[in-house]
Amino acid sequence: MDKDIIYVGGGNTRNMLVLWKEWGLDRILREAWENGIILAGLSAGAICWFEEGVTDSMGELTELKALGFLPGSFCPHYDGEKDRRPAYHRLISEKKLQDGYAADDGAALHYRGDQLFRTVSSRANAGVYHVYGTGVSAEETELNILKLSEC
């Protein structure tokens, strides 16, 4: 609990979460978050903080329950892998995932507590999207994004 930030990189989200729960690290991470330690990550290290997300950890793009610190679902690599966007839309429209957010490679969501504060990008054309079910399909709304050079 004496750290300022905990950063989680990419990898196999499912295996990571299984091991964390086995070792009790999920409880330690929640305590760190509740004590104001910054939690950050990319890919698997971003999915893990949400209630659920879209992952390729099992060989195909599918839904996965995560730690649940942040509400809703998350999809990384929205523009970086051609099947991510359609898979996320399908999983939300089929109600296998809750409404949530997607981030292109080079874009990030900045939360304060469990509330989205702003979105930021290190790439000129990278975006962040709110993706939500309509009852028949899924739709997306691009969010305003702050370029890191403007921070």
Side-chain angles (χ1 to χ4, degrees):
M1 294 303 137
D2 63 344
K3 306 300 177 214
D4 295 322
I5 186 170
I6 297 171
Y7 177 86
V8 180
N12 186 303
T13 314
R14 181 182 175 276
N15 289 348
M16 177 180 73
L17 290 168
V18 167
L19 289 173
W20 285 1
K21 289 175 183 176
E22 173 74 19
W23 299 333
L25 189 56
D26 57 333
R27 293 185 305 278
I28 294 168
L29 289 169
R30 179 168 287 282
E31 182 181 348
W33 179 64
E34 290 171 348
N35 284 299
I37 294 172
I38 296 168
L39 304 179
L42 62 86
S43 193
I47 295 170
C48 68
W49 312 121
F50 287 84
E51 289 178 298
E52 53 195 18
V54 60
T55 183
D56 60 1
S57 296
M58 281 104 35
E60 63 183 75
L61 290 166
T62 190
E63 70 278 1
L64 178 72
K65 298 291 181 201
L67 294 174
F69 300 176
L70 302 176
S73 65
F74 181 69
C75 178
H77 310 300
Y78 206 51
D79 70 338
E81 297 176 6
K82 68 178 177 67
D83 295 330
R84 287 282 176 155
R85 180 179 255 124
Y88 194 41
H89 280 239
R90 177 182 52 79
L91 292 167
I92 287 177
S93 67
E94 294 173 353
K95 299 183 176 157
K96 292 182 178 178
L97 284 176
Q98 301 174 64
D99 296 350
Y101 295 98
D104 291 339
D105 292 340
L109 290 80
H110 176 185
Y111 278 79
R112 287 189 173 168
D114 64 358
Q115 299 297 308
L116 182 60
F117 174 64
R118 64 180 164 191
T119 60
V120 296
S121 172
S122 64
R123 272 188 32 224
N125 296 320
V128 173
Y129 309 85
H130 176 231
V131 185
Y132 53 93
T134 65
V136 178
S137 64
E139 299 290 329
E140 65 184 49
T141 302
E142 188 168 4
L143 303 179
N144 291 330
I145 197 158
L146 183 65
K147 304 300 180 203
L148 287 179
S149 61
E150 301 169 339
C151 291

